[in-house]
Every structure is written in C-alpha cells, then in structure tokens.
Amino acid sequence: LGDAEPKAVSALAASRDGSLWVGTFGNGLFRIHPDGTQSAYDEENGLLQSNVRCLLVDDRDRLWVGSKFGLNMLEDGRMRVFTVHQGMPNDNIQCAFQDHEGNLWFGTDGAGVLQYAGDRFVTFTVKDGLCSDLVMSITADAQGGLWLGTYDNGICSMDGMAMITTLDGL
C-alpha cells in the first residue's frame, strides 16, 4: 500500500465496483481500484484521523470510516465529517454495522451504540437496557436481532432481553 513501507491494517471493506478499502493504524485509508491503482486518504485531505478503527460500505455504496475522533462518510468523492459538533454524543467509534433493514449502527467506546437516522444520531445506552456502553462489535442473528460485543460485560441483544457474560460461561 502506498510506498514500500509495511502498513498495520486495521479494517477492510469492499465496494460494489470491486474496489478494496484498506484502513490502517497511522497511515490513513487506501483504496485499491479494480485496475490495481491506488488512492490514499489522510488527515490532509479530509480524514478525521489516520488511525482507522472500522470501515463499512453501506447499501448505497457510501464508505463509513470510524476513528477515535468521529466518523467520515465518503460518497461520490466527497468526504463528510460527523463528530460531537454535528450531534454525535461521542466521537470514539469502535465498529460499524448495517442491518437487514438498511439501518446503520455504530458502536462507541463509552456512549453505547448509535443509530444513524439520515440526519441525526439516536443513542442507546445502559439507561436504555444495553449491558454496556463500551460496544466493540455488532452483528445480527438470523431473525435480524442485533447483538453487541462489549468490552466489559460480554454480549447482549439490543432488546435488552438476553445477556451472556462470564457468569454464563463466556
């Protein structure tokens, strides 16, 4: 990627056109186009932070880039920024997921999980029934129910009805 210097890769995602997106720790974001050419993105051209934590290409082929300083969304070559200044409760993004209905979800380090509602973020925390506000991963089961992997309290479902912790053998 880029120059000959090895990169520490932190996240991968694929676009509909066959491009591969590569997030790194400290070297920003790279796009490997289907023809093998590369594009690079860093703090100098709009990326919030060169330490990329997660990548998601959504069903509209927008790229979401999560970092400790917020979210970038790249659409049609235009980089958009989402931070506390745009209404997010926390900039510290750990993971991203799109559910079967097209909803976008972002796990945070300390503010629970965020749902992007197209013009704002809706926050769900332990006050709403989550087992933790330190959400490290998100996935869905066969019925479309969301499950959260947490840093400090095992896994739990978004509906708050099921939690599995070390007390359950995790």
Side-chain angles (χ1 to χ4, degrees), residues 33 44 60 65 76 83 100 105 113-114 123 146:
H33 300 269
E44 290 183 13
R60 293 173 49 188
V65 183
D76 299 325
T83 67
H100 301 300
W105 300 89
V113 67
L114 312 176
T123 306
L146 292 183

Side-chain angles (χ1 to χ4, degrees), residues 22-35:
V22 183
T24 69
F25 286 118
N27 294 107
L29 175 68
F30 294 86
R31 182 178 189 176
I32 304 172
H33 300 269
D35 65 3

Side-chain angles (χ1 to χ4, degrees), residues 116-149:
Y116 181 62
D119 61 347
R120 62 188 170 87
F121 289 88
V122 178
T123 306
F124 299 89
T125 67
V126 292
K127 293 177 183 175
D128 301 301
L130 296 186
C131 63
S132 173
D133 285 337
L134 302 171
V135 179
M136 306 301 285
S137 60
I138 306 170
T139 195
D141 59 27
Q143 292 74 38
L146 292 183
W147 288 83
L148 310 176

Side-chain angles (χ1 to χ4, degrees), residues 41-161:
Y41 301 83
D42 58 21
E43 294 168 17
E44 290 183 13
N45 57 12
L47 201 62
L48 281 166
Q49 186 183 37
S50 290
N51 289 326
V52 175
R53 287 190 172 163
C54 64
L55 295 173
L56 171 71
V57 175
D58 68 18
D59 60 4
R60 293 173 49 188
D61 212 33
R62 298 177 298 186
L63 176 70
W64 295 85
V65 183
S67 75
K68 186 176 182 176
F69 295 153
L71 281 167
N72 282 105
M73 188 259 290
L74 182 62
E75 181 177 28
D76 299 325
R78 188 170 158 250
M79 189 78 75
R80 189 168 170 194
V81 172
F82 297 93
T83 67
V84 292
H85 302 293
Q86 286 78 32
M88 290 177 55
N90 183 313
D91 289 336
N92 206 341
I93 303 298
Q94 291 288 342
C95 60
F97 183 75
Q98 185 169 31
D99 66 24
H100 301 300
E101 296 175 357
N103 298 307
L104 297 170
W105 300 89
F106 301 96
T108 72
D109 187 356
V113 67
L114 312 176
Q115 181 185 17
Y116 181 62
D119 61 347
R120 62 188 170 87
F121 289 88
V122 178
T123 306
F124 299 89
T125 67
V126 292
K127 293 177 183 175
D128 301 301
L130 296 186
C131 63
S132 173
D133 285 337
L134 302 171
V135 179
M136 306 301 285
S137 60
I138 306 170
T139 195
D141 59 27
Q143 292 74 38
L146 292 183
W147 288 83
L148 310 176
T150 71
Y151 182 77
D152 60 348
N153 204 16
I155 60 176
C156 60
S157 68
M158 271 293 291
D159 65 12
M161 301 302 264

